[in-house]
Amino acid sequence: MTKLDHIRHYLKEENADLAVFSDPVTINYLTGFYCDPHERQLFLFVFQESDPYLFVPALEVTRAGQAVPFNVFGYMDSENPWEKIKTGLPQIKTSKIFAEFDHLNVTKFNGLKSIFGDNFDNLTPYIQRMRLIKSADEIEKMKIAGDYADKAVQIGFENISSQNTETDIIAQIEFGMKKIGINQMSFDTMVLTGDNAANPHGIPGTNKIEDNALLLFDLGVVSNGYTSDMTRTVAIGKPDQFKIDIYNLCLKAHQSAIDFIKPGVTASQIDAAARSVIEEAGYGEYFNHRLGHGLGMDVHEFPSIMEGNDMIIEEGMCFSVEPGIYIPGKVGVRIEDCGYVTKDGFEVFTHTPKELLYFEA
């Protein structure tokens, strides 16, 4: 059964006529075709009984037609997309329609309602569930993306110097990845030195790499449509013992969570396995985000590995484990690997060593 067949089967179960997809990543997941429409409109229409239709900007029609074996139509920038959709789709009864509520903005939703009326239900939970359990092929692609992330952080390590700024190192990482065929990072690469790393989502800038401090790398790549995500924190020169102790505490929390993961435990229990280590040491207030997030074609996917989420963990789920300790003005540490749940544990996609590495500035 293809992924589109699963959608049709779900529509039949729910006595619905049509599913409308607007997230380019979901459309890629279902069809193998990807484009970023920017401000233009992109939709996949999947009917219960008839063939799908893919609606794209006119400049993407040829490429889309080569990628999918079903109906493709489009619109020029000067045309009204909603009128083109209305006249381009078959006249099929649509009394109940599903759409991706988590992706629709007001303009898209109002446009769809002008064609189909108000009887929309939310398709996001079903799509999240479809994408939650990765196939063996997907996991292999994510292993490759993880290998590239290891290569990327190694380039970062090779460019550590007191003469370089955070953004200098980022430029070298991304240039090096393009040279080996990686055209897209999973997100904006982060290299944060010293106190800047004490902000969980710090903004890299012209800060020179500090000596006797910690340096944080957070990065990932997109390979074959799948993402990677990793964080490593390393020592520059000779950081004081307090910084080293905080690093080792974070590493202990990280490993405690990884060792705990297996099918049958809950997401909240995994979070607690790491968080309790940090809390018992007296630094709980400085771990101020969830332990992890899902990963796949998007770098942040369902589910959240966090307190209060009692979802049962299953084999084939992929997510991050990334405890952090951020003490403003003193130190920031995060250690992150993403991986997949096996029949009896958890295998990571990234393999850069996690014991504290030392570099000279």
Side-chain angles (χ1 to χ4, degrees):
M1 183 181 289
T2 69
K3 293 169 183 172
L4 289 175
D5 288 336
H6 278 285
I7 300 298
R8 293 189 190 96
H9 181 71
Y10 181 68
L11 292 176
K12 188 171 184 179
E13 282 186 335
E14 296 294 321
N15 195 29
D17 306 298
L18 172 64
V20 182
F21 299 92
S22 53
D23 182 351
V25 177
T26 302
I27 293 171
N28 185 16
Y29 174 76
L30 293 173
T31 70
F33 172 76
Y34 177 80
C35 83
D36 181 350
H38 302 289
E39 75 281 6
R40 301 179 175 98
Q41 303 303 329
L42 171 72
F43 293 102
L44 173 66
F45 300 95
V46 180
F47 296 92
Q48 184 189 135
E49 299 293 344
S50 60
D51 289 340
Y53 280 71
L54 181 60
F55 181 71
V56 299
L59 73 169
E60 298 286 359
V61 167
T62 299
R63 192 167 67 89
Q66 294 168 344
V68 302
F70 48 79
N71 308 288
V72 174
F73 67 121
Y75 76 106
M76 298 289 291
D77 291 340
S78 58
E79 295 179 306
N80 183 320
W82 314 111
E83 287 298 323
K84 293 286 286 190
I85 292 171
K86 189 172 184 178
T87 58
L89 290 179
Q91 299 301 306
I92 297 175
K93 177 176 68 72
T94 51
S95 59
K96 183 178 180 181
I97 303 169
F98 279 99
E100 295 179 283
F101 282 11
D102 280 20
H103 188 265
L104 286 178
N105 59 29
V106 174
T107 297
K108 284 183 170 65
F109 197 34
N110 285 339
L112 292 173
K113 288 195 294 185
S114 73
I115 301 168
F116 301 111
D118 292 332
N119 196 13
F120 281 86
D121 281 346
N122 189 10
L123 188 61
T124 295
Y126 183 75
I127 290 299
Q128 287 178 333
R129 183 67 204 181
M130 273 190 73
R131 291 173 59 178
L132 178 63
I133 307 298
K134 270 57 177 183
S135 67
D137 177 66
E138 288 180 295
I139 287 172
E140 286 304 311
K141 290 176 179 176
M142 294 174 75
K143 287 180 180 178
I144 293 170
D147 288 342
Y148 278 117
D150 282 324
K151 290 181 173 67
V153 82
Q154 186 61 43
I155 294 171
F157 293 167
E158 292 168 358
N159 283 276
I160 291 173
S161 167
S162 60
Q163 301 306 306
N164 281 338
T165 66
E166 295 165 332
T167 51
D168 287 337
I169 296 178
I170 291 170
Q172 291 300 321
I173 291 170
E174 297 189 356
F175 176 63
M177 297 314 292
K178 287 186 183 298
K179 286 174 67 176
I180 60 174
I182 296 297
N183 294 317
Q184 183 181 354
M185 307 301 286
S186 298
F187 51 91
D188 290 341
T189 302
M190 288 199 290
V191 176
L192 305 172
T193 187
D195 291 347
N196 203 21
N199 184 335
H201 277 178
I203 299 174
T206 57
N207 309 296
K208 292 285 184 71
I209 302 307
E210 293 183 32
D211 201 10
N212 302 322
L214 299 183
L215 178 63
L216 185 150
F217 294 82
D218 189 357
L219 54 78
V221 310
V222 180
S223 172
N224 292 312
Y226 284 80
T227 61
S228 56
D229 185 5
M230 69 179 297
T231 307
R232 290 293 186 271
T233 305
V234 300
I236 309 302
K238 296 180 180 179
D240 61 46
Q241 190 60 45
F242 176 73
K243 293 180 176 66
I244 295 170
D245 290 343
I246 291 297
Y247 181 90
N248 288 330
L249 177 62
C250 191
L251 178 59
K252 181 181 178 182
H254 173 87
Q255 195 60 49
S256 294
I258 285 182
D259 291 343
F260 182 80
I261 299 168
K262 62 182 179 181
V265 303
T266 68
S268 60
Q269 287 173 329
I270 299 170
D271 182 279
R275 195 170 302 277
S276 61
V277 172
I278 296 172
E279 289 177 342
E280 288 168 9
Y283 295 98
E285 67 182 288
Y286 302 111
F287 178 15
N288 54 13
H289 55 74
R290 63 189 175 185
L291 179 67
H293 56 81
L295 185 85
M297 296 185 87
D298 277 315
V299 72
H300 279 199
E301 289 191 357
F302 180 75
S304 285
I305 308 301
M306 66 181 184
E307 183 179 6
N309 182 4
D310 293 326
M311 170 180 279
I312 302 296
I313 299 303
E314 300 176 52
E315 185 177 354
M317 288 184 179
C318 298
F319 50 81
S320 69
V321 176
E322 49 180 306
I325 302 172
Y326 316 95
I327 305 176
K330 293 185 177 181
V331 66
V333 175
R334 184 166 63 256
I335 304 168
E336 174 188 14
D337 284 309
C338 295
Y340 64 100
V341 181
T342 66
K343 60 183 177 61
D344 55 9
F346 189 71
E347 295 289 335
V348 297
F349 296 126
T350 40
H351 301 285
T352 300
K354 286 177 280 196
E355 67 270 14
L356 186 57
L357 300 177
Y358 287 79
F359 296 88
E360 293 300 323

